[in-house]
Amino acid sequence: MLTIRKKFILLLGVVFIGGAVIFNLVLNKVFYEGFKSSITKNMEDNYRVSIKNFDDYIAFNSLSRETLKESDINSKAIKFIVDRVSCRGVFFSLDGKVLATGSPSLEEVDLGEITKLPNSFEKAKDNNTVIDIENSKGRVLAKLSYLIYGEGNEKIGVLVLIKDYTELYLNNENTKKIVYVVAFSVFSILLILIYILLSRLIKPLSLLKEGAENLANGKYPKEIMVKTKDEIGVLSLAFNNMNLSLQKKERQEKDLFRNITHELKTPLSAIGGYAQVLRGDGFDDEEFKNKALDRIISESKRMNEMVVALLSIGQQNSDLEEYAYTKVELERLLEKILLGEEIKIKEKGLRLEKNTEEVLVLGNLFYLRILLSNLISNGIKYSNRESKIEITLRKEENLCRFSIKTVGEEIPLDFKEKIFEAFVRVKKEGFASKESNGLGLYIAKNIVEAHGGEIWVEALGEVSIFYFTLPLA
Ligand code: ADP
């Protein structure tokens, strides 16, 4: 598999090689053009001086342009022409033979390279002044060639001014090398920096990949530490949250399973115990027999209710996701439920105070009814006789907020969170206390959260207020 790291290394390699090739081409061109133009300029100056010298030579020697012969241009003449030009001169006949050579200094003219025909000899013969830059055997020579006319305006030969630019060329090459080294270093440092930056960016990705693989194998990975706030940082944060919520869910499921088995064990052993006593030989206590049978019936009934409630939770979790929600008028639903509870409220002598308004939420009518019923029947169940129950339902920005305030059984501080878990009751009276299985608030919390809301309790001594919020439709 081509990992991101490999892809980037490949890309950096291509950029590096491509960059080096282009840079090399451009640098060569720039340096060569500079070198060429300075030589051309210098040789043009030399050309002008040589022309002037030539005229002087003709004047001093009482010659004339019109009567000039091939033999007039000898070594002496060339020496005069190239004086102060610091070039060497070679006079070629039209068929390319060396007729005379000359040098401004005393040194002898080095034949060989110097006496080779310039590359543009033919062009010069056509009456062009041409400059050749010739590089051979480590020497760089500039050759300026121009045509000489003589008697009867006839072409008599080509005069070539030759100058050695090897030193300038070598200096030029050295400077080029320095530029190369500097550019290469800067470019390499840049690439290394990009690579380091990239490695930093990629590292969390490989941690994420490892984490996801662990999760897929059922192992919970460690928290991924990414401090950046870019997309990768956000992704890591989301991954950490997902990891935590999966762990929480697994814990909750384990707890639920443990609690279910525990809660079922108690009534089952009670039923088994009573049944065994009843079957015992010589048992004739009628009163105990009736009590035992009553207990067996009530325990089975409660167990049945609990199983039904548990089944409804399982059902509810899939239902809540599947069913399309409708607009529910929560105030009207509340009124209906309170109507159904009227007898119980009267029996306990409770005073009901309401502060509600019309609210519309998007939800599942069936489960919202269960939610309100659970909270209201709890309120009645755990209130002191003759106390007050206050119910509010109000809009708040884009939410609706329900609360039920009661005075009665105290909820200790350490129960504030736990109370919403399955099978948790403040007073664990076991199965003697009817109508209590510790599932009501657990179901309520499931419903609220599936609707995108929140549920919580505030408790101070005998006063408890249960709240929930739901998004408005
Ligand atoms: P259940 O009512 O079946 O026990 P719930 O989950 O509905 O189960 O409630 C859990 C516990 O929370 C109750 O046993 C009770 O101790 C406490 N509780 C619930 N509602 C109230 C309330 N309005 N006032 C005081 N305590 C309450």
Side-chain angles (χ1 to χ4, degrees), residues 36-54:
K36 206 170 114 183
S37 86
S38 74
I39 289 179
T40 307
K41 206 170 153 289
N42 192 236
M43 287 306 278
E44 280 167 358
D45 291 343
N46 290 339
Y47 169 67
R48 274 188 289 277
V49 176
S50 76
I51 293 286
K52 167 122 199 342
N53 286 353
F54 199 1

Side-chain angles (χ1 to χ4, degrees), residues 378 381-382 406 409 411 419 424-426 436-438 440-441:
N378 271 357
K381 214 172 15 171
Y382 300 107
T406 54
E409 193 179 295
I411 301 173
I419 216 169
V424 173
R425 280 148 287 182
V426 175
S436 174
N437 54 27
L441 290 178

